[in-house]
Amino acid sequence: MSVCGEAVGAGSLPSELVVHIFSFLAAPDRLRASAACSHWRECLFYPALWPRLRLSLRVSPAERPRLEFLMRKCGWFVRELRVQFAADNYPGGGAAAAGEGAAVAGDGEAPPPLSPRWLDLLRTYLELVLCVLSSVRNNRNLQKLSLFGDISILQQHGTISNTYLGKVDPDGKKIKQIQQLFEEILGNSRQLKWLSCGLMLQIVTPTSLSSLSNPIANTMEHLSLLDNHIPGNTTLITAVELERFVNLRSLALDFCDFTAEMARVLADSNHVPLHRLSLLVHSVSIMHKSLDNMPKDENWQALTRNSTNLRVYIMAFDVKSDDMLRILKPSIPLERIHFDSYVTCVSGAVVDLISRQYDKFLTHFILMNDVIDMSAFPDLSDNRNEDPLVLLAWRCTRLSLLAVHGYTVWAHNLIAIARLRGSDLKVLEVTEESIEFDQGELADQDVDPVHNFIEQVSLGLGRPWHAVMDIELLSVFTEPTRHFYREMQSFSEGI
């Protein structure tokens, strides 16, 4: 049926009806529809259409107008806000960036200088964070707040020195304003159940959580506090503070901050069972803090008695094998583990320990080594007949994801892994440069070893398979912190 005349045209539809129609459209279609007339444009930003807002922001001045517009329109009522500050345009990027500007100076040494472009990015980062926080400071409908700062990729070899921050924030006014706004948001919250702050630069302080009222702390279901900029032995949450969070079902912390006393608090019968625990083990954190207070095996046993469905996710950055052998207590219900390194290498003994201790729980195993010399990949098998990765696939019958880069994986062992786990191994990602062939396989002139290898792995998995050709295609290889944060979110939401 067609309508004629301006009085009965689409522009005269009641706002409630336009909003109802918009609710069936995807966000891009809503934007196109809103261009029809000014009335529809006004309807586009009705609170009912924006229960959640998820933004991935490049640290660039060009992002600010778009961010200010969205936050002005939605910040005061949005119920779920996720903001990720992406590091895509950092000079050099990744580990190279860390080497360029974020290396830690030795004792008594001046910190290395940062380029003007680095300082501009730090300045822009602070402005974008201020824009986000100031827009939601009075939002009492906020139920989920999630902030992630990829700027922490600068900190592969340490923390950003206050000397650098002093160049872009001379009196520390912006940092103090950011911290105050964050505490204001927590203090004003009336429905907050999910709080996640991952590797944001100096946004969370040890006093931030005290801003939460007792009723909100008592109903909080997810808490994630990760910030490797905190100096010395300072922690973002204490065991005493954790006692208020009696309904916590998911927790993510720096491993050095998760103490035996915290495990005892969570094991108390006053707390609901904990379902998900994500722990980030970082060499920088271990350097400045201590593993002496970490939970002992009896603490893990007590915790799992109260939380029978607890599953743990651990990510380790450049952690020495000796430290990992201390960390990996037998009673940890370890479901996922991700090793990533630029300096250290995981030993076969660690992999073997994991396969023996966590065979009933382990589903995800990721092993990354971002070395420069690709001709010197470490060999976990150590010329033994029993390869630790094959034993992992044999013992861990729930294994569904295996990813390897930067370690030698022999072709015949990869075939064995595929046959052992078959179609239950949903993801098998191994970079092409990690795969090695025995001389005997290469000497057979009648068979193309590469073609035969791919065919055998594919048959074992029950689906077509190939090695990863380009490491840049996979974020699990190139963006470890972002991968951890994304996995932690989905891990916790899957309760």
Side-chain angles (χ1 to χ4, degrees), residues 285-453:
S285 182
I286 293 176
M287 186 191 313
H288 293 289
K289 300 179 182 179
S290 171
L291 293 174
D292 294 340
N293 296 322
M294 67 180 177
K296 297 179 173 59
D297 206 46
E298 54 265 30
N299 302 127
W300 285 107
Q301 290 172 359
L303 180 55
T304 53
R305 278 196 298 271
N306 184 56
S307 304
T308 55
N309 294 319
L310 176 64
R311 296 295 179 265
V312 176
Y313 172 29
I314 292 179
M315 187 172 194
F317 281 101
D318 268 327
V319 181
K320 297 176 182 178
S321 291
D322 289 346
D323 288 328
M324 286 308 305
L325 291 172
R326 290 178 60 199
I327 288 168
L328 296 172
K329 303 299 184 185
S331 298
I332 299 177
L334 185 67
E335 183 178 284
R336 306 180 184 196
I337 189 160
H338 180 166
F339 293 99
D340 204 289
S341 59
Y342 294 95
V343 180
T344 63
C345 292
V346 173
S347 67
V350 170
V351 179
D352 188 60
L353 180 71
I354 290 169
S355 68
R356 285 189 285 106
Q357 290 188 166
Y358 312 116
D359 54 300
K360 295 180 181 178
F361 303 107
L362 195 70
T363 62
H364 292 54
F365 187 83
I366 299 175
L367 193 59
M368 303 288 116
N369 182 27
D370 217 359
V371 296
I372 297 175
D373 184 6
M374 292 192 299
S375 64
F377 284 170
D379 184 357
L380 292 176
S381 64
D382 219 8
N383 297 319
R384 296 179 301 175
N385 291 328
E386 296 180 340
D387 180 77
L389 290 175
V390 175
L391 291 175
L392 183 88
W394 174 54
R395 291 168 176 157
C396 301
T397 55
R398 298 185 60 206
L399 191 68
S400 62
L401 183 149
L402 176 63
V404 183
H405 164 67
Y407 289 83
T408 297
V409 182
W410 294 96
H412 61 272
N413 286 333
L414 203 53
I415 293 171
I417 290 169
R419 289 174 177 173
L420 282 167
R421 293 274 53 87
S423 59
D424 291 336
L425 190 58
K426 305 300 182 185
V427 178
L428 177 60
E429 294 181 345
V430 183
T431 49
E432 190 179 51
E433 59 264 36
S434 299
I435 300 170
E436 292 285 351
F437 291 86
D438 286 331
Q439 291 302 315
E441 294 171 316
L442 296 174
D444 190 346
Q445 300 297 322
D446 298 329
V447 179
D448 179 355
V450 176
H451 177 78
N452 180 64
F453 159 69

Side-chain angles (χ1 to χ4, degrees), residues 130-288:
L130 279 170
C131 177
V132 171
L133 297 184
S134 60
S135 300
V136 297
R137 65 194 299 180
N138 295 316
N139 183 344
R140 301 199 171 195
N141 297 316
L142 199 61
Q143 296 176 359
K144 285 188 174 185
L145 176 61
S146 178
L147 304 171
F148 173 67
D150 242 4
I151 196 166
S152 66
I153 204 168
L154 297 174
Q155 303 174 18
Q156 294 288 358
H157 299 297
T159 58
I160 296 178
S161 167
N162 286 329
T163 303
Y164 305 144
L165 289 175
K167 292 181 180 297
V168 298
D169 185 23
D171 301 319
K173 290 182 178 179
K174 288 183 179 178
I175 291 292
K176 290 178 183 176
Q177 189 179 356
I178 285 172
Q179 293 170 350
Q180 289 170 358
L181 283 171
F182 185 69
E183 292 181 4
E184 220 176 305
I185 292 167
L186 299 187
N188 289 333
S189 63
R190 294 296 179 269
Q191 302 183 47
L192 195 64
K193 293 184 181 300
W194 178 292
L195 177 61
S196 182
C197 191
L199 305 175
M200 296 288 292
L201 183 61
Q202 291 200 4
I203 187 172
V204 187
T205 70
T207 62
S208 295
L209 291 183
S210 62
S211 302
L212 283 170
S213 66
N214 283 331
I216 296 301
N218 290 342
T219 57
M220 189 78 72
E221 296 178 359
H222 171 84
L223 181 62
S224 171
L225 297 176
L226 297 164
D227 186 349
N228 62 2
H229 183 80
I230 298 297
N233 294 319
T234 308
T235 58
L236 298 178
I237 183 172
T238 64
V240 173
E241 185 71 43
L242 194 61
E243 289 178 355
R244 295 200 299 157
F245 295 81
V246 293
N247 278 291
L248 207 61
R249 289 168 171 80
S250 174
L251 177 65
L253 292 175
D254 186 298
F255 183 86
C256 290
D257 292 343
F258 186 66
T259 62
E261 186 59 35
M262 281 189 177
R264 283 193 287 269
V265 168
L266 293 170
D268 192 280
S269 58
N270 291 332
H271 284 252
V272 302
L274 191 69
H275 289 260
R276 297 289 184 267
L277 178 60
S278 301
L279 299 170
L280 180 64
V281 191
H282 201 294
S283 59
V284 173
S285 182
I286 293 176
M287 186 191 313
H288 293 289

Side-chain angles (χ1 to χ4, degrees), residues 41-42 45 47 50 67-77:
R41 239 183 342 267
E42 292 173 2
F45 288 101
W50 297 89
L67 178 64
E68 288 179 341
F69 174 79
L70 283 172
M71 297 309 300
R72 185 173 66 252
K73 290 288 187 180
C74 305
W76 61 278
F77 63 76

Side-chain angles (χ1 to χ4, degrees), residues 3-13:
V3 291
C4 301
E6 185 177 347
V8 291
S12 65
L13 292 174

